[in-house]
Amino acid sequence: MENHIAALRKERRLSQEELAQAVGVSRQTITSLEVGKYTASLPLAFRLARYFGCAIEDLFIFEEE
């Protein structure tokens, strides 16, 4: 699933480590999310959206198959 995590993180001049600490995951999880190798759990999606101050739908791009 595609997302806007990297773009929002870079806009705020955050490192992957800083974002990871803010939402309670590892830096590797943030890396995997940004490159599309991992899909966030619903609780993590909510934490990320809350952190960035946006709706989940604005953070993640859902494409039906």
Side-chain angles (χ1 to χ4, degrees), residues 12-59:
R12 294 173 188 222
R13 298 180 181 192
L14 295 168
S15 69
Q16 290 178 332
E17 183 66 33
E18 291 168 324
L19 178 57
Q21 288 179 357
V23 298
V25 297
S26 69
R27 182 194 54 78
Q28 291 85 353
T29 298
I30 299 299
T31 300
S32 294
L33 284 167
E34 289 183 355
V35 299
K37 290 186 176 184
Y38 175 71
T39 301
S41 65
L42 190 54
L44 176 55
F46 271 106
R47 288 196 308 269
L48 286 163
R50 189 177 313 125
Y51 182 83
F52 286 118
C54 65
I56 290 175
E57 296 89 344
D58 296 332
L59 187 57

